[in-house]
């Protein structure tokens, strides 16, 4: 059995301008792309008609069709990551596992555990920056500490952006380096305990330059089609953040919204407790009112 590299798709469900995927394809060995429907995550979803599952499933189907044109496939597992990689190592002779970094507390714990598991099996795990322009310790105060206020972070971010514009990756041109694989069925939403629901109302991944140009004037008016509606595509990586940032050069307000996204990613990395509690512990002790009349007045715009 020939050696292969694995590319582990997570929040980067695209072939174009994908940093880790590009590095995997350029590394010299055939690449087996995999995706894991993580039981740990799915079991916490109470809504069994969650559109995100159908959206991801449809996106995986589209990736499989693309890979099929090159005689390959996307291997999809419904398991814990540890169980999935046990099956992967049994099926393939793996040299390295490539993936893009994730910054949420569970993802960091998951990746550390998988890296240790792979290392014990003699397999390297290589991770890359893809989900953000700047990450972790790249935008820091002069004293080396992380920013906790947005405006100075934003200024430093823009300074670094001008000095180091992002590099894009032509990963789609390297798909001929995928491993030759027989196409196999993937787990259906039903097999994972979810209903297959229509997702036609999910916005497209089109970057609308006209919307971005007028974003500062239209974003606050719900009756207007004045926002990008790209959130889900940035969340699951069906769109490259580098492509969006390039388009955002046309509108500073829209660019600042993308920088807010990175600011909160940085906060989450350095202060992971914010995933479960307030940034400042004192705010965890706020006593919230439970006044139905006041809530109704707020909903109806009658608070004065």
């Amino acid at each position: 059995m020939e050696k292969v590299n694995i590319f582990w798709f997570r929040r980067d469900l695209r072939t174009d301008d994908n940093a880790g995927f590009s590095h995997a394809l350029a590394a010299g060995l055939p690449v087996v792309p995999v995706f894991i429907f993580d039981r740990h995550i799915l079991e916490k979803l109470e809504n069994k008609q969650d559109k995100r599952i159908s959206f991801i499933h449809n996106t995986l189907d589209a990736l499989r069709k693309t890979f099929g044109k090159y005689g390959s496939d996307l291997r999809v597992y419904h398991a814990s990551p540890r169980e999935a990689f046990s099956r992967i190592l049994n099926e393939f002779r793996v040299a390295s596992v490539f993936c893009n970094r994730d910054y949420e507390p569970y993802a960091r714990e998951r990746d550390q555990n998988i890296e240790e598991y792979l290392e014990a099996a003699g397999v390297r795990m290589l991770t890359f920056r893809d989900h953000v322009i700047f990450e972790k310790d790249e935008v820091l105060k002069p004293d080396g500490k992380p920013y906790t206020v947005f405006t100075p972070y934003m200024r430093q971010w823009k300074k670094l952006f001008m000095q180091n514009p992002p590099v894009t990756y032509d990963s789609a041109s390297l798909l001929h380096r995928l491993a030759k694989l027989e196409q196999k069925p993937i787990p259906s939403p039903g097999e994972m305990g979810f209903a297959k629901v229509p997702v036609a109302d999910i916005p497209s991944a089109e970057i609308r330059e006209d919307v971005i140009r007028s974003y500062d004037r239209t974003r606050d008016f719900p009756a207007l089609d004045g926002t990008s509606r790209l959130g889900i595509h940035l969340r699951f990586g069906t769109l490259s953040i580098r492509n969006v940032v390039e388009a955002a050069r046309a509108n500073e307000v829209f660019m600042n919204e993308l920088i807010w996204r990175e600011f909160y990613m940085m906060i989450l990395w350095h202060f992971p407790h914010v995933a479960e509690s307030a940034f400042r512990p004192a705010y965890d002790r706020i006593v919230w009112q439970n006044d139905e009349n006041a809530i109704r007045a707020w909903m109806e715009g009658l608070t004065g």
Side-chain angles (χ1 to χ4, degrees):
M1 184 186 300
E2 67 173 341
K3 277 193 173 185
V4 298
N5 287 327
I6 300 292
F7 180 71
W8 182 9
F9 280 98
R10 290 109 69 91
R11 291 177 57 182
D12 44 22
L13 302 179
R14 66 186 187 280
T15 58
D16 186 48
D17 192 25
N18 185 320
F21 193 32
S22 180
H23 282 284
L25 292 167
L29 293 176
V31 173
V32 175
V34 306
F35 179 85
I36 302 168
F37 277 109
D38 188 339
R39 290 185 186 274
H40 176 83
I41 295 174
L42 297 191
E43 288 170 0
K44 292 185 176 182
L45 300 180
E46 296 180 1
N47 180 8
K48 299 309 175 183
Q49 295 186 332
D50 195 312
K51 283 190 175 183
R52 292 173 295 182
I53 303 302
S54 293
F55 173 78
I56 292 170
H57 199 272
N58 288 354
T59 303
L60 298 181
D61 273 337
L63 286 173
R64 293 180 67 231
K65 289 178 182 176
T66 298
F67 298 159
K69 296 175 183 177
Y70 297 86
S72 190
D73 191 22
L74 174 68
R75 289 287 190 258
V76 179
Y77 304 86
H78 177 217
S80 72
R82 177 70 174 268
E83 292 168 343
F85 273 101
S86 175
R87 290 159 62 183
I88 290 167
L89 295 186
N90 282 332
E91 184 177 358
F92 301 101
R93 188 176 169 217
V94 179
S96 300
V97 173
F98 291 71
C99 60
N100 292 313
R101 286 189 282 273
D102 199 343
Y103 309 101
E104 297 183 5
Y106 166 69
R108 292 169 63 180
E109 180 183 358
R110 172 202 65 200
D111 288 355
Q112 181 177 348
N113 290 338
I114 293 300
E115 183 173 11
E116 292 171 357
Y117 174 71
L118 292 173
E119 184 178 3
V123 176
R124 296 184 305 165
M125 182 170 172
L126 305 171
T127 67
F128 300 87
R129 178 188 64 191
D130 181 76
H131 199 54
V132 291
I133 302 298
F134 298 114
E135 63 171 5
K136 300 190 296 188
D137 298 325
E138 293 184 308
V139 183
L140 298 173
K141 295 190 288 187
D143 62 4
K145 295 180 180 179
Y147 287 97
T148 57
V149 177
F150 174 71
T151 300
Y153 172 88
M154 175 265 291
R155 290 175 180 148
Q156 181 65 8
W157 190 100
K158 289 182 177 178
K159 179 181 177 181
L160 292 174
F161 181 76
M162 295 302 294
Q163 294 171 348
N164 302 284
V167 175
T168 57
Y169 300 88
D170 190 15
S171 43
S173 71
L174 301 174
L175 294 180
H176 61 282
R177 298 184 180 179
L178 289 169
K180 301 303 180 185
L181 298 170
E182 178 186 356
Q183 293 227 328
K184 296 182 178 180
I186 68 174
S188 69
E191 291 170 331
M192 297 185 290
F194 291 86
K196 179 81 170 179
V197 295
V199 293
D201 58 339
I202 289 181
S204 78
E206 178 189 3
I207 301 173
R208 295 175 54 190
E209 295 182 1
D210 58 327
V211 170
I212 291 175
R213 282 195 299 270
S214 61
Y215 180 83
D216 57 312
R217 303 187 301 276
T218 59
R219 64 178 182 146
D220 293 329
F221 298 93
L224 300 177
D225 183 15
T227 58
S228 73
R229 308 185 77 197
L230 297 177
I232 191 170
H233 299 288
L234 290 174
R235 169 66 181 174
F236 294 112
T238 46
L239 189 60
S240 159
I241 182 60
R242 291 172 289 277
N243 289 341
V244 181
V245 165
E246 183 60 30
R249 291 175 183 267
N251 192 296
E252 185 176 12
V253 173
F254 186 69
M255 178 72 88
N256 286 347
E257 294 298 285
L258 297 177
I259 300 173
W260 270 108
R261 174 179 176 271
E262 305 220 342
F263 175 68
Y264 282 123
M265 290 278 191
M266 182 274 300
I267 290 291
L268 187 61
W269 177 269
H270 288 282
F271 307 97
H273 69 274
V274 299
E276 304 291 340
S277 58
F279 180 73
R280 301 186 188 281
Y283 295 160
D284 286 330
R285 297 190 290 274
I286 291 176
V287 179
W288 295 96
Q289 296 180 14
N290 187 16
D291 185 334
E292 290 294 332
N293 291 328
I295 292 172
R296 188 174 300 108
W298 172 78
M299 293 172 63
E300 295 175 357
L302 300 175
T303 60

